[in-house]
Amino acid sequence: MNKHKAMPNIRFKGFEDEWKEKKFSTLVNRKSHITSDSSLLSVEYENISPDNHEIHKNFNNKKGIFFQKGDILFGKLRPYLKKYVLAFYEGKAVGDFWVLSPKKDIYSRFAFYLIQTHKFYVVSNLSSGTKMPRSDWNLVSNSFFYVCNIEEQQKIGDFFSKLNKLLDLQQQKIDKLELLKKALLQKLFPKHDAKIPELRFKGYKENWNEKKLNSITKRLDNYRKPITANKRLSGQTPYYGANGIQDYVKGYTHEGEFVLIAEDGANDIRNYPVRFVKGYIWVNNHAHVLQAKVGISNNLFLSYSLKNKNLLPYLVGSGRMKLNADVLMNLLLKIPDLNEQQKIGSILSKIDQLIELENKKLQNFQQVKKCLLQNMFVE
């Protein structure tokens, strides 16, 4: 915001008027009409991904708040998740929503991006409760926000709408790469009792052989060393736990190429934490450290093979489930010859690198949007 006048730092050419401060309740109406009309598209709170990248719609006879084109669905439960939708159709909002209808002098797209500003985020998160916080309508509706004239609102709203389309396209690109990786994982490895995969590189015809993990890898857990946070010296070495990098420290426990797999404390036991790492690393006692035996197996291949395996039946415990070392090393994996392993590991690694690159682009777009929201609105 301009320090002397209620103006944004960045604005479209031709607009010079000061913005006016108005109560949120004068900008929108909050709808309350409940309907169970099964002919209406239903949008459910649980089926909206954060930041509105993906919305699942269906038809059902559940009760919900009726909304029309131009209305805003704002997820009031756990507002920090940023679940909001600008409607382009009629439907019903099922679950923890406010349905906000912009008034006649408020452009719907402008209002939609106004609720994405930092000021609105702060106000909507000043809620009661800790486990299931909800936005306080009385507080939000009586809060003041700066608004420009309708012409400038339209410019701003349409601009951010185009930016959002870029974000959505970027997310779709990432989703397609993830689907490609998933398909390759299914087809590049043999299924069930099969001895060869559905998809192979040219020139490879031999059956895959089933091997125990202890015959194709070395377990290097004895070099692991946990350090409490207050005793770690800050440095460049990634400090790994069960679910990935926890910190960066001085020193290292291992050097080379390895496969890390959670021993206990996995944050997702169905998508079990397995990762290929290389270079200098420090590993605590919550991740097993495996290394392919030279001339027999390939670390990259092993990481994808283990990631592709359902490890749930091998875990013990109830709350904090554990993958014991003996159980791990007796796991059976099907492997081809070393050259085919290297090719499979290489192509999957390249897809992962593409996914990482596209994710970084998405994060950059998101930072640009965040910066523009800070500078094209008055807070």
Side-chain angles (χ1 to χ4, degrees):
M1 174 182 167
N2 188 296
K3 292 182 179 180
H4 305 292
K5 294 183 179 181
M7 295 181 180
N9 294 322
I10 300 173
R11 67 195 310 191
F12 290 96
K13 187 177 179 180
F15 297 102
E16 298 177 354
D17 294 340
E18 284 194 64
W19 289 32
K20 295 179 180 178
E21 199 172 26
K22 294 186 179 182
K23 266 189 185 182
F24 191 66
S25 59
T26 67
L27 308 180
V28 300
N29 291 312
R30 181 183 168 192
K31 289 188 170 180
S32 57
H33 174 61
I34 303 295
T35 179
S36 57
D37 187 345
S38 61
S39 68
L40 290 171
L41 276 169
S42 177
V43 176
E44 300 188 38
Y45 174 86
E46 291 79 7
N47 292 335
I48 297 180
S49 64
D51 280 325
N52 191 29
H53 285 312
E54 187 176 358
I55 307 164
H56 300 285
K57 298 168 285 193
N58 55 54
F59 293 96
N60 57 46
N61 57 7
K62 292 182 180 180
K63 290 183 179 180
I65 305 171
F66 176 73
F67 64 82
Q68 295 170 292
K69 181 179 178 180
D71 289 346
I72 297 166
L73 281 59
F74 179 82
K76 62 180 178 179
L77 174 65
R78 297 192 181 101
Y80 53 83
L81 293 178
K82 301 180 180 179
K83 292 192 174 190
Y84 26 65
V85 179
L86 178 61
F88 292 97
Y89 45 83
E90 284 190 351
K92 54 185 176 177
V94 179
D96 287 278
F97 285 114
W98 289 334
V99 174
L100 309 175
S101 179
K103 295 189 177 181
K104 64 179 182 179
D105 57 344
I106 300 298
Y107 187 48
S108 58
R109 286 180 177 175
F110 176 85
F112 183 58
Y113 294 105
L114 175 67
I115 71 169
Q116 298 179 41
T117 60
H118 178 69
K119 183 177 180 180
F120 193 92
Y121 176 83
V122 170
V123 172
S124 64
N125 277 275
L126 293 173
S127 53
S128 58
T130 52
K131 291 185 178 179
M132 301 286 280
R134 283 178 171 80
S135 297
D136 183 335
W137 176 250
N138 186 55
L139 175 62
V140 172
S141 64
N142 285 294
S143 294
F144 285 84
F145 298 89
Y146 286 97
V147 179
C148 53
N149 62 47
I150 190 69
E151 290 81 11
E152 190 170 5
Q153 288 180 38
Q154 290 169 339
K155 287 277 189 181
I156 293 170
D158 291 345
F159 171 79
F160 277 100
S161 181
K162 289 175 182 176
L163 182 57
N164 247 26
K165 285 180 182 177
L166 285 176
L167 284 164
D168 289 339
L169 287 171
Q170 185 62 25
Q171 184 64 52
Q172 288 170 25
K173 190 182 291 187
I174 294 167
D175 292 342
K176 287 177 181 177
L177 285 169
E178 292 282 7
L179 285 172
L180 173 61
K181 178 184 171 182
K182 184 178 179 180
L184 286 174
L185 281 169
Q186 291 174 347
K187 294 184 180 297
L188 286 171
F189 291 86
K191 293 179 180 177
H192 308 299
D193 296 328
K195 294 183 179 180
I196 60 172
E198 288 182 40
L199 188 64
R200 298 190 87 168
F201 290 95
K202 188 177 179 180
Y204 295 97
K205 297 179 181 178
E206 298 296 322
N207 288 344
W208 290 34
N209 296 310
E210 202 166 47
K211 302 281 187 180
K212 281 188 177 181
L213 200 58
N214 61 16
S215 70
I216 57 176
T217 69
K218 297 180 288 183
R219 183 169 60 86
L220 304 172
D221 288 1
N222 54 315
Y223 295 105
R224 301 179 305 179
K225 185 177 179 182
I227 318 176
T228 55
N230 63 341
K231 292 184 178 179
R232 295 174 201 158
L233 297 176
S234 181
Q236 301 297 314
T237 305
Y239 178 84
Y240 284 96
N243 301 296
I245 298 173
Q246 294 184 343
D247 205 347
Y248 288 88
V249 298
K250 281 187 177 179
Y252 63 95
T253 56
H254 301 75
E255 179 196 0
E257 284 189 358
F258 307 94
V259 179
L260 303 185
I261 181 167
E263 178 175 357
D264 59 359
N267 55 13
D268 187 346
I269 58 174
R270 296 189 180 278
N271 182 24
Y272 206 73
V274 180
R275 56 188 43 82
F276 167 80
V277 297
K278 64 179 180 179
Y280 292 98
I281 61 171
W282 192 304
V283 187
N284 69 19
N285 58 335
H286 296 296
H288 293 298
V289 184
L290 305 178
Q291 188 174 56
K293 288 185 177 180
V294 176
I296 297 175
S297 55
N298 173 267
N299 286 298
L300 263 177
F301 172 85
L302 287 172
S303 68
Y304 291 111
S305 182
L306 285 166
K307 192 73 176 172
N308 202 40
K309 191 174 182 68
N310 177 20
L311 295 172
L312 193 57
Y314 304 97
L315 306 180
V316 295
S318 52
R320 190 179 176 91
M321 301 190 79
K322 184 173 183 178
L323 179 59
N324 287 320
D326 289 342
V327 173
L328 171 65
M329 298 309 287
N330 280 291
L331 284 178
L332 290 170
L333 292 181
K334 293 176 183 175
I335 66 168
D337 70 38
L338 188 58
N339 286 334
E340 192 171 2
Q341 289 181 48
Q342 290 168 341
K343 285 184 177 292
I344 291 169
S346 177
I347 191 170
L348 290 170
S349 177
K350 286 174 181 175
I351 293 172
D352 269 338
Q353 288 169 22
L354 276 175
I355 291 171
E356 184 180 359
L357 177 64
E358 297 302 334
N359 269 312
K360 285 180 180 177
K361 288 181 182 178
L362 178 61
Q363 291 166 12
N364 288 337
F365 281 143
Q366 289 168 337
Q367 285 300 312
V368 168
K369 179 182 174 181
K370 182 180 178 181
C371 180
L372 289 171
L373 282 169
Q374 290 171 347
N375 286 281
M376 293 183 73
F377 284 82
V378 179
E379 295 192 20

